[in-house]
Amino acid sequence: MALMAAALLAVTTFAQEFVPNDPGEPPQGRTKLKLLPRPKGAISRQSVDEKSMRSLIHQMVDCGTRLSISSWTDPKRGVGCGRDQVVARLNEIAKESGGRLQVVVDKFEASSKRTGGNPVPMENVYAILPGSDPKFAKTAFVVSGHMDSRPSDDMDPKLDAPGADDDASGTAVSVECARLLSKLAASGQVKLRATLLFAAVSGEEQGLLGSTHLVEWLKQQGYTVGGMLDDDIVGADRAPGGPHRVRVFSGNGGIDDCDSSSRELARAIEEIDGRGAIRMIFRVDRFGRGGDHYPFYKAGIPAVRFTEPLEEYSQQHQTPRTESGVEYGDLEKYLDFRFMGNVAQDNAEALRQLAMSPAPPTQATLEGAVTPDAKVSWSVEDDPDRAGFEILWRETTEVRWQVFEFVTTGTEAVLKGVSTDNHFFAVRAVGKNGARSLAVPTEMDANRRGNYSR
């Protein structure tokens, strides 16, 4: 046994000390890059108002149930009661913003198996912070939580469904982001070029009805969605040793090398907030589950889901009760506002930098097969606030991008002595303020694809 343990230790030590002996790319090495720092004025943790988040959640829980097929007109019980609390809080924030924040109640009908197959009334609530740059005002970055809840029986509005974590917590995060960013815009300290939309949707528990409608509403209003952040079950951190990182789920979009626009949004969020705050999960959602980012994702829009580190299923989709000594129900007492405040800060800072960024490049292509150099090219519109472009690369087995080169002029870069075979490549725009667009992975030039002998 001792010999086996020693052998295992030797193997482990060798694995830890292993240094790959591969040809250098480029062979002469690279000069140290000078990159623009990230934008100043990051959202501070101290600026997050946990007290107002706690108050909103308490008011929503006091509605008894917020099942989307419950009453929209009863001011004391039902989903309409929950809507009233959200609208009232957003209206307070809108006044504090000097009128910059616009509150919209969007009424519609939708149907699903969980509405009995019949069209039923639904309502979403939006707070819109218009972009300051006319060129980007029709590009929207969206953050959303769902204000509805559900008991064990998703068709019975008579049962209590407090929904403190699922998803009053995500709604509170979206509303707090509205406060933080509208206050920042009102101060004049930062130029948020793109529009921000802070949503509280309904019908999530009846089949993602509110978010599906929101995708169409944005299209009808003429918006292009630059990215969507879904906060769903972000209010608790039960495991010992916290605070832990929030999980950010992103789908690969069916692309073999995992470079969908949603995956690029997840990478951008991690880079903005830091690896100590964000745990990227390379799944579209939790196994066998679904959330409000999914309709955006299926529409080809960059979309991710924030969810707490380790879920407790006895407190999800459960009518409050005690059975065999086990307490069931999504109750306020299980929430962790320190963790929830961290999530609000993560969302707000990601939205701040994304709204400050230039437009991402388009039509990024890769050439250089059967040559010693990789050639990356892209298309982009003029932007006087853009400083240049970062050419990104990573090993095909790596998760995160690294910056290979910073280009200030032109729309192409030749990476001397870099094989097209060993790496993936991407391009992103960098503003003079240091904000980065989402990365756009390169694709093989269609005119060259398949023209090489094997």
Side-chain angles (χ1 to χ4, degrees), residues 1-9:
M1 290 294 292
L3 288 175
M4 290 177 62
L8 179 60
L9 178 62

Side-chain angles (χ1 to χ4, degrees), residues 63-198:
C63 294
T65 180
R66 302 187 309 278
L67 189 65
S68 292
I69 57 174
S70 63
S71 173
W72 283 98
T73 57
D74 188 332
K76 294 184 178 180
R77 181 178 175 84
V79 65
C81 169
R83 173 212 54 212
D84 290 346
Q85 310 311 317
V86 173
V87 170
R89 179 62 185 136
L90 287 174
N91 280 333
E92 291 175 359
I93 294 170
K95 289 180 181 179
E96 296 168 359
S97 75
R100 287 172 174 80
L101 196 68
Q102 305 163 6
V103 181
V104 175
V105 177
D106 177 22
K107 300 182 180 182
F108 60 100
E109 287 190 343
S111 63
S112 70
K113 289 182 179 179
R114 294 180 183 176
T115 68
N118 301 313
V120 297
M122 294 281 168
E123 298 184 22
N124 291 343
V125 181
Y126 316 135
I128 302 169
L129 185 64
S132 62
D133 188 331
K135 186 176 181 179
F136 290 88
K138 279 299 182 180
T139 296
F141 289 92
V142 178
V143 59
S144 180
H146 68 85
M147 59 186 173
D148 59 308
S149 63
R150 58 157 288 182
S152 302
D153 182 348
D154 55 31
M155 295 291 289
D156 190 348
K158 296 178 182 178
L159 299 174
D160 284 344
D165 196 8
D166 185 12
D167 185 36
S169 67
T171 301
V173 165
S174 180
V175 170
E176 178 62 8
C177 285
R179 187 191 70 83
L180 289 165
L181 290 161
S182 63
K183 182 178 180 180
L184 193 64
S187 72
Q189 298 176 5
V190 66
K191 182 181 179 182
L192 300 175
R193 307 181 73 185
T195 292
L196 294 172
L197 187 147
F198 311 93

Side-chain angles (χ1 to χ4, degrees), residues 264-333:
E264 296 307 340
L265 177 57
R267 289 185 174 114
I269 292 168
E270 187 203 57
E271 193 169 338
I272 290 169
D273 292 325
R275 293 176 66 177
I278 303 298
R279 181 182 181 183
M280 291 194 295
I281 306 292
F282 282 7
R283 286 185 185 275
V284 66
D285 208 327
R286 297 103 71 239
F287 192 62
R289 310 285 294 278
D292 282 324
H293 64 305
Y294 190 70
F296 287 80
Y297 170 74
K298 290 298 288 182
I301 296 168
V304 299
R305 176 187 178 130
F306 285 74
T307 295
E308 62 198 34
L310 192 63
E311 297 171 76
E312 175 53 65
Y313 302 114
S314 65
Q315 294 159 20
Q316 294 180 13
H317 300 177
Q318 297 288 340
T319 304
R321 66 194 189 281
T322 299
E323 291 181 0
S324 303
V326 177
E327 185 176 39
Y328 294 87
D330 189 353
L331 307 175
E332 286 180 83
K333 66 181 182 180

